[in-house]
Amino acid sequence: MRITRARLFEVRLPLVHRFTTSSHAKSSLDHILVELTDESGATGWGEIASPAGPFYCSETTGTAWLTAIGFLLPAVLDAGWDHPEQVDRLWARVRGHEFAKAGVVGAAWDLWTRSQGVPLASALGGTRERVRAGVSLGIEATIDELLAQVERQVEAGYHRVKLKISHGWDVEPVAAVRSAYPDLDLHVDANGVYESDDETIAHLGELDRFGLTMIEQPFAPRNLLGSAGLQARISTDVCLDESVVDLHDLELMIALKAGRVLNIKVSRMGGLTVARDAHDRAIGEGIPVWCGGMHEFGIGRAANVAISSLPGFTLPSDVSGSDKYYSRDVIAPPVIAHDGWVDVPEAPGLGHDVDLEWIDANTLRRFDSAEPSTT
């Protein structure tokens, strides 16, 4: 295949509910949509779901935009390749910038699977017709507001609820949710906000009594030794997210026994190819995996659904319905959850049509390789 044209659209969509983590709050999201066109005129779509600010990671929407235009798209344009696995090699010299890479390689996977007439899920090795969905809830102003949010998601049939935690918002809200929902699949996510000192480890150990599925990313991304120390002292499984950016990080996690669960985020790991390889390595070590999310629009969400169909994704993934986050998504039909399950599309590629009208209506800036001066 040969890419002859590439377009970027920076799109802003409002969230239906303000979302707060240990580092920041957001009411809308700006993501970059990638469209690749080959010599036949066929197109494929990907999503750069990088955060707007450098809080989850060092990448931002701004850095992803510059990296895609300056380095990734020039490497892809007019380069021949037979399979999307080969696309990553085209920018082998570019270090980091996983979110930007994920959006471009995602478009390549969509384009190739559409041209082959096969669903993206089956091309990746997926074996499921539907996947279990979980939801992630942010930090609320009060415990009563949190309980109201949990109630909405439980009534919607979701199989797992994840709670964001931080200093002063951990043991008490978890206790309240567990008291109200004693059988709920519940886990917590700190986004690396805690320090790995003895006092903090003892404090986090108090969460053991709530029967959590996991404690996700308790310490800073590079503090795998801290995570290993916590895992050795608590019975709850530690899950790593920000700490595992590539396969080398995964090997370090395994060697240090820094966690028993892996959150595979397509964006964080540089795209579908690396995410699939991480899945294969993890299940070879008996490590259960699940697909985390970055509040993706429908294009990135559909890619998450596809990879969540692989056999090692035994825990509910962050592939909740589009309507939980956006009143109108950029794909049609949107991703829909029925009683906590999301069907894996059977149509070629992502299995959804792209709503170009809605994308155009919400685009902040655009780039077209056929018109390099456009921004």
Side-chain angles (χ1 to χ4, degrees), residues 209-222:
R209 59 191 168 99
F210 300 117
L212 300 175
T213 307
M214 66 190 82
I215 297 176
E216 184 181 351
Q217 199 61 48
F219 309 130
R222 302 276 69 84

Side-chain angles (χ1 to χ4, degrees), residues 220-263:
R222 302 276 69 84
N223 190 3
L224 276 80
L225 286 174
S227 295
L230 176 65
Q231 186 65 93
R233 291 176 56 178
I234 65 173
S235 59
T236 305
D237 289 346
V238 171
C239 170
L240 294 188
D241 174 1
E242 291 97 319
S243 291
V244 180
V245 173
D246 59 26
L247 298 179
H248 299 295
D249 293 332
L250 178 54
E251 294 298 337
L252 187 58
M253 170 186 169
I254 294 168
L256 294 177
K257 298 181 180 179
R260 301 188 190 125
V261 180
L262 176 63
N263 174 353

Side-chain angles (χ1 to χ4, degrees), residues 77-205:
L77 284 165
D78 293 322
W81 48 275
D82 298 314
H83 193 281
E85 292 174 349
Q86 300 168 344
V87 172
D88 297 87
R89 303 173 196 168
L90 299 175
W91 53 61
R93 295 183 300 165
V94 179
R95 297 182 184 271
H97 301 283
E98 283 78 18
F99 279 79
K101 292 174 179 176
V104 179
V105 79
W109 271 99
D110 182 40
L111 174 61
W112 184 81
T113 49
R114 287 180 188 273
S115 71
Q116 299 296 308
V118 299
L120 176 61
S122 62
L124 291 167
T127 59
R128 297 189 178 94
E129 296 180 353
R130 60 178 188 164
V131 298
R132 287 195 299 161
V135 293
S136 176
L137 300 181
I139 295 170
E140 298 291 342
T142 67
I143 288 178
D144 285 343
E145 291 179 57
L146 174 64
L147 289 172
Q149 283 294 320
V150 174
E151 182 180 16
R152 291 189 188 97
Q153 308 314 320
V154 171
E155 289 179 349
Y158 284 107
H159 295 263
R160 178 267 290 159
V161 171
K162 177 171 81 171
L163 307 178
K164 296 291 186 178
I165 61 172
S166 186
H167 299 289
W169 183 267
D170 42 38
V171 175
E172 187 177 2
V174 171
V177 173
R178 177 53 80 208
S179 177
Y181 300 94
D183 300 319
L184 179 64
D185 182 347
L186 185 67
H187 91 248
V188 297
D189 180 11
N191 290 115
V193 73
Y194 295 100
E195 298 295 330
S196 58
D197 55 86
D198 288 341
E199 182 179 354
T200 301
I201 289 177
H203 176 71
L204 293 175

Side-chain angles (χ1 to χ4, degrees), residues 56 214 216 239-242 244-245 247 250 253 261-283 287-294 296 303-304 307-308 310 312-313 315-319:
Y56 172 82
M214 66 190 82
E216 184 181 351
C239 170
L240 294 188
D241 174 1
E242 291 97 319
V244 180
V245 173
L247 298 179
L250 178 54
M253 170 186 169
V261 180
L262 176 63
N263 174 353
I264 293 179
K265 284 182 178 172
V266 174
S267 293
R268 185 193 76 239
M269 300 201 74
L272 288 164
T273 307
V274 181
R276 182 204 57 194
D277 293 347
H279 158 274
D280 295 348
R281 181 69 181 103
I283 62 172
I287 297 173
V289 302
W290 58 283
C291 180
M294 295 298 299
E296 287 90 350
N304 289 349
I307 202 161
S308 297
L310 272 65
F313 286 85
L315 299 168
S317 293
D318 280 342
V319 291

